[in-house]
Amino acid sequence: LLSDEPRSVGGEDLGPSPYDLLLMALGSCTSMTLRMYANHKQLPLDDVEVTLRHERIHAQDCEHCEETTGKIERITREIGIKGDELTDAQRQRLVEIADRCPVHRTIDSKPYVETRLIDT
């Protein structure tokens, strides 16, 4: 799997950027989690579409964020749930379940990244 940056920031645009890969991980985990939940509960879910966007914004522009100064990272996730027979309550429950996908939980937990130098 090749990852690169866009030409506009000095890359060759040969593949998705590291942030694109992060969003792909969150989007695929979200859709798989919803599918597994719907199958388990036998919900009439036809399809799920997840769209994500990453941006850096001023903390003061984020009404739900804990930070109030400086810049913060914001990921916006939009979920399209298809299923004509789903009730409003079932749709709302699926949105709640989206926050339980393992990748979402990892991002939310602010993981510690330990870096070690190894001999190669």
Side-chain angles (χ1 to χ4, degrees), residues 29 31 35 51 53 59 77 84 92-93 105 107 112 120:
C29 184
S31 63
R35 171 57 57 205
T51 304
R53 183 175 64 254
R77 178 174 55 184
D84 293 340
Q92 186 56 44
R93 183 65 179 147
R105 286 183 172 190
I107 293 169
Y112 170 75
T120 55

Side-chain angles (χ1 to χ4, degrees), residues 44-105:
L45 176 65
D46 294 330
D47 197 17
V48 176
E49 184 175 310
V50 181
T51 304
L52 293 136
R53 183 175 64 254
H54 168 260
E55 57 192 332
R56 288 182 183 87
I57 63 168
H58 292 282
Q60 63 198 27
D61 295 333
C62 183
E63 76 180 65
H64 301 293
C65 296
E66 294 175 17
E67 295 291 327
T68 57
T69 60
K71 287 204 167 186
I72 61 167
E73 308 284 333
R74 177 169 66 186
I75 295 174
T76 304
R77 178 174 55 184
E78 298 174 338
I79 302 172
I81 297 172
K82 297 178 184 172
D84 293 340
E85 297 178 30
L86 287 167
T87 67
D88 288 342
Q90 290 170 327
R91 289 174 186 280
Q92 186 56 44
R93 183 65 179 147
L94 286 165
V95 170
E96 293 168 8
I97 293 298
D99 287 344
R100 294 186 179 180
C101 93
V103 172
H104 183 116
R105 286 183 172 190

Side-chain angles (χ1 to χ4, degrees), residues 22-42:
L22 175 66
L23 297 180
M24 284 187 238
L26 179 57
S28 62
C29 184
T30 299
S31 63
M32 286 189 274
T33 299
L34 295 183
R35 171 57 57 205
M36 289 171 54
Y37 178 82
N39 288 349
H40 177 71
K41 295 293 185 177
Q42 298 180 339

